[in-house]
C-alpha cells in the first residue's frame, strides 16, 4: 500500500487522514498508520505542508520553518547533522502550535531541539535563557542544568513539555535554517543590527550596501523582544529620557515600511504588501497607532515595548538604528516572493543585459509588482533605469517567459506601450516614476535587473 495518497472523501482511506494534505475539493491525504513512523512516510507527509518561503524539504508552522530527522542520535550528533547541511538545531517560538503539528502528523513525542544546560540555567544555542519562559515538564529542569543535559521537546495530543535529558540519549531531532554569525533568528527571518542612528532612507541604503535589506519581520513584537534580550551579549534596552513621568528602557529601530505607498494613504512594506492594521499579532502596534499614513512617515520599532506594542509611525527624517534582514543571497533584495539583483554599474543594451543575467545563472527580471521594485531601487541606488525581461513581438510586449503583458496594466507610464511593440522595443523600469514601465529601443544602454 502507498504510504500517502490523495482521496476524495474518507471512504477509501484505510489509514490516517492528514487535513490539507492535498489540493482539490474534498480531497485529503490518507497515510497508512502502519507506516506512519517510517522516515519515507514522514517525508511524504511534510512535503504536503511545504511553503514557498521555506527551504525544500522543510515545513512551516506560523512564521517558522522546520525539518524533522527521524534518526536516533545523541544531541551533539544531531546538532552536527543540522550544521552539516547549513542548518541548526531548532529554537521554536510557538511551542504549542509546533507540538500539535508534529504529534498529529508523525506521532513523535520526544525530539531534540537546540537547548542545553550551562551550569545553573538552560539556554538556547543562540544564548537566550529558557528558564521560566517555557512549559517545563513536572520536575524539570531542577538541578539538571549542566552541560550533560540537553533539551527534549515532548508533545502529546493534550499538552507540550520541555524536558532536561541526558545529552548522550538517542532521539529524533528538529532542524531549522541557520542564520549567519552576527544575526538573530526570528521566525523564518535572519536579522542584523546596524548601530548607527540615521534617517529612514539612509538606513535602507546602508542595509542594501551590506547586501541585506531593511527588515520586514512577520512578528515585529517577538523581534523587539529578542533585541531587548540581546544579540551576542549586546542588549538593546538602554535607558531613554523620561517624558511626562514615563521612563523607558529600549532602543528605536527603523523597519522597512512607509506610509502612502498604496492609494497615497496606506502603509506598506517595501515588498509592496500592506502592513496590517490592526496587526494579526496582538499588541504589535502601539495603542492608538497608526495615526498618520502619508509618505512622510515611516515605521519604527521600540525594543522596550515589545509587550505593550512596539511599532508605530514617525517622521522618516528621525534618527534611529537600522535592523536589516537577510531574505535573499547577499547582494540580492526581495520584493514579494522573488529575489532580484541590480547591476548598477554595468549599463548595456537589452541583449547584453540578458546575457549578463544568464552568465550568473539568473534571468532578466519579470516582477509581479514593478511599482514596489521601482520604489525600492529609487531609494537604494538612485535615479537609474533598468532593463526588465520584456520585449515586443510585433503585436505586444511579452515577458521572456512568453506571457503577454496587458497594455492596460497599471504600472505602464501614460502613452505606453502605444505603437512601440516591435521587436526592437524592450521593457524599461524607470524607478523615479510611480508608473515606472516604458517601451524603449532595445539598443539603449540601461542597467540589468536580474531575478533569481
Amino acid at each position: 500500500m502507498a504510504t500517502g495518497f490523495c482521496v476524495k472523501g474518507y471512504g477509501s482511506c484505510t489509514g490516517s487522514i492528514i487535513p490539507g494534505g492535498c489540493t482539490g475539493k474534498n480531497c485529503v491525504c490518507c497515510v497508512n498508520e502502519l507506516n506512519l513512523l517510517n522516515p519515507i512516510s514522514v517525508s511524504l507527509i511534510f512535503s504536503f505542508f511545504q511553503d514557498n518561503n521555506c527551504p525544500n524539504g522543510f515545513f512551516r508552522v506560523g512564521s517558522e520553518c522546520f525539518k524533522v530527522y527521524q534518526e536516533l542520535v545523541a544531541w551533539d550528533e544531531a546538532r552536527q547533522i543540522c550544521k552539516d547541511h547549513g542548518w541548526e538545531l531548532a529554537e521554536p517560538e510557538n511551542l504549542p502550535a509546533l507540538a500539535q503539528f508534529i504529534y498529529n502528523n508523525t506521532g513523535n513525542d520526544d525530539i531534540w531541539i537546540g537547548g542545553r544546560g550551562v551550569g545553573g540555567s538552560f539556554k538556547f544555542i543562540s544564548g537566550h535563557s529558557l528558564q521560566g519562559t517555557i512549559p517545563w515538564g513536572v520536575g524539570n529542569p531542577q538541578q539538571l542544568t549542566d552541560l550533560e543535559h540537553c533539551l527534549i521537546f515532548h508533545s502529546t495530543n493534550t499538552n507540550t513539555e520541555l524536558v532536561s535529558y541526558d545529552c548522550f540519549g538517542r532521539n529524533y531531532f528538529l532542524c531549522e535554517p541557520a542564520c549567519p554569525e552576527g544575526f538573530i533568528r526570528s521566525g523564518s527571518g535572519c536579522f542584523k543590527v546596524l548601530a548607527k542612528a540615521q534617517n529612514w532612507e539612509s538606513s535602507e541604503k546602508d542595509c542594501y550596501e551590506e547586501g541585506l535589506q531593511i527588515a520586514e519581520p512577520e512578528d515585529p513584537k517577538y523581534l523587539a523582544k529578542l533585541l531587548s534580550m540581546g544579540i551576542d551579549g549586546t542588549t538593546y534596552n538602554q535607558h531613554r529620557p523620561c517624558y511626562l513621568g514615563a521612563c523607558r528602557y529600549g532602543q528605536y529601530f527603523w523597519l522597512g515600511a512607509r506610509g502612502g505607498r498604496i492609494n497615497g494613504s496606506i502603509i506598506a512594506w517595501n515588498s509592496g504588501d500592506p502592513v496590517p492594521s490592526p496587526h494579526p499579532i496582538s499588541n504589535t502596534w502601539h495603542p492608538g497607532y497608526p495615526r498618520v499614513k502619508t509618505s512622510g512617515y515611516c515605521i519604527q520599532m521600540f525594543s522596550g515595548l515589545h509587550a505593550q506594542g512596539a511599532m508605530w509611525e514617525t517622521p522618516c527624517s528621525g534618527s534611529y538604528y537600522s535592523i536589516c534582514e537577510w531574505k535573499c543571497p547577499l547582494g540580492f533584495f526581495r520584493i514579494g516572493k522573488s529575489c532580484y539583483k541590480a547591476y548598477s554599474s554595468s549599463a548595456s543594451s537589452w541583449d547584453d543585459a540578458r546575457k549578463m543575467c544568464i552568465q550568473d545563472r539568473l534571468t532578466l527580471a519579470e516582477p509581479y509588482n514593478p511599482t514596489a521594485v521601482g520604489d525600492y531601487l529609487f531609494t537604494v541606488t538612485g535615479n537609474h533605469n533598468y532593463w526588465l525581461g520584456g520585449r515586443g513581438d510585433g503585436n505586444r510586449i511579452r515577458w521572456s517567459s512568453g506571457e503577454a503583458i496587458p497594455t492596460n496594466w497599471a504600472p505602464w507610464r501614460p502613452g505606453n506601450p502605444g505603437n512601440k511593440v516591435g521587436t526592437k522595443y524592450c521593457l524599461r523600469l524607470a524607478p523615479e516614476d510611480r508608473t515606472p514601465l516604458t517601451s524603449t529601443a532595445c539598443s539603449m544602454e540601461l542597467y540589468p535587473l536580474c531575478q533569481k
Side-chain angles (χ1 to χ4, degrees), residues 100-167:
Q100 190 69 40
F101 183 92
I102 289 178
Y103 184 83
N104 288 346
N105 295 305
T106 73
N108 293 343
D109 57 2
D110 286 334
I111 298 178
W112 288 126
I113 60 174
R116 189 167 195 162
V118 292
S121 67
F122 244 91
K123 290 188 176 182
F124 275 132
I125 294 168
S126 63
H128 297 312
S129 177
L130 287 159
Q131 222 78 5
T133 63
I134 55 173
W136 286 107
V138 176
N140 284 273
Q142 291 186 349
Q143 304 304 315
L144 305 178
T145 56
D146 55 63
L147 286 172
E148 303 303 317
H149 289 90
C150 296
L151 195 61
I152 281 180
F153 178 65
H154 178 80
S155 59
T156 71
N157 62 341
T158 57
N159 68 334
T160 304
E161 296 178 346
L162 294 186
V163 179
S164 174
Y165 193 76
D166 181 353
C167 298

Side-chain angles (χ1 to χ4, degrees), residues 159-353:
N159 68 334
T160 304
E161 296 178 346
L162 294 186
V163 179
S164 174
Y165 193 76
D166 181 353
C167 298
F168 293 100
R170 299 170 69 80
N171 292 287
Y172 299 145
F173 56 100
L174 189 68
C175 299
E176 67 179 350
C179 291
E181 185 176 353
F183 285 70
I184 185 173
R185 171 168 293 286
S186 177
S188 60
C190 298
F191 301 90
K192 180 179 181 180
V193 171
L194 299 184
K196 176 183 177 183
Q198 55 191 340
N199 65 35
W200 185 84
E201 290 191 352
S202 295
S203 287
E204 193 173 41
K205 290 177 183 177
D206 277 6
C207 287
Y208 180 80
E209 290 173 1
E210 291 272 333
L212 309 169
Q213 62 192 102
I214 195 167
E216 300 182 20
E218 294 184 59
D219 188 347
K221 179 179 175 180
Y222 188 77
L223 177 59
K225 179 180 178 180
L226 294 180
L227 290 166
S228 178
M229 294 167 64
I231 304 175
D232 292 336
T234 301
T235 58
Y236 297 93
N237 55 6
Q238 297 93 329
H239 179 262
R240 314 300 299 182
C242 299
Y243 178 70
L244 296 178
C247 300
R248 296 173 176 174
Y249 292 83
Q251 181 65 54
Y252 294 95
F253 298 90
W254 287 121
L255 297 181
R258 188 169 192 160
R261 284 186 154 160
I262 301 176
N263 299 327
S265 60
I266 296 177
I267 300 169
W269 298 109
N270 284 341
S271 62
D273 297 326
V275 181
S277 176
H279 199 280
I281 300 172
S282 61
N283 296 337
T284 292
W285 284 106
H286 197 66
Y289 288 86
R291 297 175 180 174
V292 185
K293 303 175 183 179
T294 56
S295 61
Y297 285 77
C298 298
I299 303 305
Q300 68 172 200
M301 179 180 69
F302 184 62
S303 61
L305 291 177
H306 53 81
Q308 300 95 326
M311 196 168 73
W312 58 83
E313 77 275 20
T314 193
C316 302
S317 58
S319 187
Y320 307 111
Y321 281 9
S322 309
I323 180 78
C324 306
E325 185 170 3
W326 181 43
K327 282 192 168 186
C328 294
L330 288 177
F332 287 72
F333 64 93
R334 183 168 181 163
I335 301 293
K337 293 185 177 181
S338 299
C339 294
Y340 303 93
K341 185 173 183 179
Y343 292 78
S344 301
S345 59
S346 305
S348 65
S349 67
W350 188 91
D351 286 305
D352 287 341

